[in-house]
Amino acid sequence: MFNISTIAYCLNATWLQKGSDDVIEHLLIDSRKLLFPESSLFFAISTLQRNAHDFLDELYNKGVRNFVVDNEYSLKPTINNANVLQVSNVIDALQLLTAYHRKQFTYPVIGITGSNGKTIVKEWLYQLLHNKYNIVRSPKSYNSQIGVPLSVWQMHPNNTLGIFEAGISMPHEMDKLQKIIQPTIGIFTSIGEAHSEGFDDTAHKVEEKAKLFEGCKEIIYCKDNAAIALAIESKCNTCHLFSWSKKDGATLSITAIQIQHYNTVIKAIYQNRKVSISVPFTNDAAIENAITCWCVLLHFGVDDETISAQMLQLRSVEMRLELKQGVNNCSVINDSYSADINSLTIALDFLQQQQQHDKRTVILSDILQSGKKNVDLYTEVASILIQKNINRFIGIGTEITKQQAVFSSIPQVHFYTSTNDFKQHFPSLHFNSETILLKGARVFEFEQISHLLEQKVHQTILEINLNAISHNLKIYKQQLAEGVKLMAMVKAFSYGSGGFEIANLLQFHKVDYLAVAYADEGVELRKAGITLPIMVMNAEDATFDVLVQYNLEPELYSFEIFNGFDNYLLQSGISNYPVHIKIDTGMKRLGFELDEITTLCNKLKETTSFKIQSVFSHLAASDNAEHDAFTQEQATTIKEGCQLLQEAIDYPFIKHIANTSAIHRHKNLQFDMVRLGIGLYGVDAHTTVQQQLKNVTTLKTTISQIKKIKKGQSVGYSRKGLTNEDATIATVRIGYADGYPRVLSNGKGKMLVNGKLAPVIGNVCMDMTMLDITNIPAKEGDDVIVFGEALPVNNLAHWADTIAYEILTGISQRVKRVYFEE
């Protein structure tokens, strides 16, 4: 921690305003994640879409008095007695400050880079070394130009080892990260295709990543990759190299990798002696990551017996927060794999995004090996929980129970010395209509609690990656001209992905509008705490009362609906109600025709019922170059209609016509707002854009039974599946009642079984489907991917002779949705 005057000197900043010489303990870049106003320094990092300086007033009103701004900012009279530091580049200032902070410590720091495996290696090293060292490490996957500074800022005199990961996507980025991390030990995990766009070739990317190791005393790497070996061995002349290889000539030479049923035995030669470990994993990536960790332990001088015992205890790294439906109308966020202050804060941010319940509950275990005195540690935890407005807190463990007095300001508190103690009292806790965060160290086995809280589900589930939605939203926002608003389409259960869960995320990311198809969808969002403006695209007479009750904004597309809603509002004594006018420019579905606009204008002049929020239309073929001329005709029509309407009313309104494809194919049609639909969920007709999007949904099921059948035997109804040879058939728990199209029967459809495509054999049944898994190793209970990143939903749509929209929106509600954030 530093005084603000020291920080100003470090940054060579200009004082726009000078207040008290506050001590800064926390760095803040997101106004929504404020915890400790008095000791926080806000870095106003703006983007093309959002000016961070717009949030200074909000933060000031919440008690923040320390700010770093750029040269574009002019001090406002609303900011008084604060410290406002002006710099030329706010991100550079953040990096400069944390690099200065890093220089205050002399204990070893491990810097990890590579295309894959960074987070796994970091977390495994924590598992392997935390009993010997007080470790500070990157939270989750904080490895970017902003994530690394925030990670390094956590360094504290009580720590004895730092472990930080660094990722780059462009040349010269690693130069900045190296100055922040200043590693004494370097690890290069692997090289792959991820983030290759900014580099000339693989060798260039390796060379840039290797810049992290400047000044390292030790570098650990795999010698089998020629590009990595060349980059490290040619430039690192003064440091010690610790290599591993499946060939001779390395520090650790792997002689055998024996993959068994549930574990892998790895044998090697180290310092002319035979050594071996066993790890509880069988996939190639995990084996390579484990060998890298083995090298680190050998470097630290850990004895063979201890290494063998610890490597066998390695656990999978859970990289995501999961949101599931719970008992008694609860929602459960399961992060029951680790417990520390940093990951708790991240999990609480995710909890705060959830608006579906007024009541929020946190169940937390003892936080182990924090390096802080327990009274200080749990006082800080209690302060964070109070800032996050937690309604009920349940502490589990002997140490947290001893400190229960510091949690007294939370409305409801309960403490139990063990998980079993909690389970015995579970019926008396009466969980109902609340969002519950589970956060526990592994040894507390909180999976027992999650089993009690989570609703029992059908083994066919649809996983929704909330990080991917956030990423896709950012991709399209980057296409927008300055000042263009964004309406997100969440109709049809958010294209099958879920209603309020997706809307919560979009509200958190401050989109401007939501749109639903029918009023009942909007009502559910309002009941779940969504406060964004919501346009209803298919309003009906029978729903006028709920439109008004829940402040939903209808689309008026005909004189019938116009007159009906006008009369309803007049009878209710309501004026200036927000509505949206739709003009039919060629879709020939809903909307006023251009020759009806004059009449519409006259009717608008005659009533005070409406306040026109927007005027819009729907493009028929914006994704197809063949119809670009027609698209431009539609644009001309909407402009004419808007001009007539603007002349008739004396206030401005939003104009919009661009859908997902038009956002990037017809940028001249972005107008005042765009409507983002299927692209948000990872599907775009344009190949270049599709490659930038991340997969959002993964539909997966499991194998319920495997049968061996003889040549000539039939499979399924009507004996449609006939085998030409002996075959192995797997029955999986998904059918047409779950949304798997029956048209994919008899070999048209395929699913992924342990990474291999298995064709459907016979007819798809209501609740089950049979796959031919001949020559595919599998066992009952194995996961099966119906669609996902490795098997895109577009493939299924192609096989079924339909579109991805139909597949996604057709997934049955009995298929449980599991939401996760990595």
Side-chain angles (χ1 to χ4, degrees), residues 628-658:
D628 282 352
F630 185 77
T631 297
Q632 294 307 318
E633 287 178 20
Q634 288 191 267
T636 299
T637 302
I638 188 68
K639 289 175 182 178
E640 291 179 16
C642 286
Q643 181 63 36
L644 291 170
L645 285 163
Q646 190 64 79
E647 291 170 358
I649 59 178
D650 58 358
Y651 56 84
F653 50 79
I654 298 169
K655 308 170 188 67
H656 53 110
I657 192 172

Side-chain angles (χ1 to χ4, degrees), residues 712-772:
Q713 289 187 307
S714 62
V715 178
Y717 285 119
S718 303
R719 303 193 66 213
K720 292 293 186 180
L722 293 173
T723 56
N724 298 322
E725 55 186 23
D726 293 353
T728 305
I729 305 300
T731 299
V732 297
R733 297 177 169 96
I734 188 171
Y736 55 77
D738 301 297
Y740 192 71
R742 194 169 181 272
V743 71
L744 295 179
S745 300
N746 303 307
K748 284 195 70 177
K750 301 176 182 66
M751 301 183 198
L752 275 178
V753 179
N754 292 326
K756 297 185 181 298
L757 283 176
V760 173
I761 182 169
N763 284 326
V764 174
C765 308
M766 180 181 289
D767 310 301
M768 291 170 283
T769 299
M770 287 70 72
L771 304 176
D772 185 346

Side-chain angles (χ1 to χ4, degrees), residues 673-730:
M673 184 163 69
V674 299
R675 299 190 303 276
L676 179 57
I678 193 75
L680 189 63
Y681 308 98
V683 179
D684 194 290
H686 197 276
T687 303
T688 303
V689 177
Q690 180 66 62
Q691 290 171 346
Q692 299 177 55
L693 301 179
K694 289 187 177 180
N695 179 69
V696 170
T697 52
T698 299
L699 180 60
K700 60 200 301 188
T701 186
T702 57
I703 297 174
S704 54
Q705 190 175 21
I706 294 176
K707 289 179 178 290
K708 301 283 188 180
I709 67 172
K710 298 293 184 183
K711 177 181 178 180
Q713 289 187 307
S714 62
V715 178
Y717 285 119
S718 303
R719 303 193 66 213
K720 292 293 186 180
L722 293 173
T723 56
N724 298 322
E725 55 186 23
D726 293 353
T728 305
I729 305 300

Side-chain angles (χ1 to χ4, degrees), residues 2-8 10-11 13 15 22-31 34-45 56 59 63-69 82-87 90 93-94 97-98 150 153:
F2 302 103
N3 291 74
I4 190 67
S5 57
T6 302
I7 293 174
C10 171
L11 302 182
W15 290 90
D22 297 336
V23 175
I24 301 301
E25 297 181 42
H26 305 93
L27 306 185
L28 181 68
I29 62 168
D30 188 333
S31 62
L34 176 65
L35 291 175
F36 303 103
E38 298 83 3
S39 58
S40 290
L41 174 60
F42 178 64
F43 285 80
I45 300 174
L56 263 65
L59 288 167
V64 177
R65 292 296 180 268
N66 298 281
F67 306 92
V68 177
V69 300
N83 296 301
V84 184
L85 306 181
Q86 190 169 58
V87 296
V90 177
L94 173 66
L97 173 61
T98 50
L150 296 179
W153 182 255

Side-chain angles (χ1 to χ4, degrees), residues 168-183:
I168 60 172
S169 57
M170 296 290 291
H172 311 302
E173 288 183 338
M174 192 63 83
D175 298 278
K176 297 180 179 181
L177 300 186
Q178 188 280 330
K179 293 175 182 177
I180 301 168
I181 299 174
Q182 301 164 41

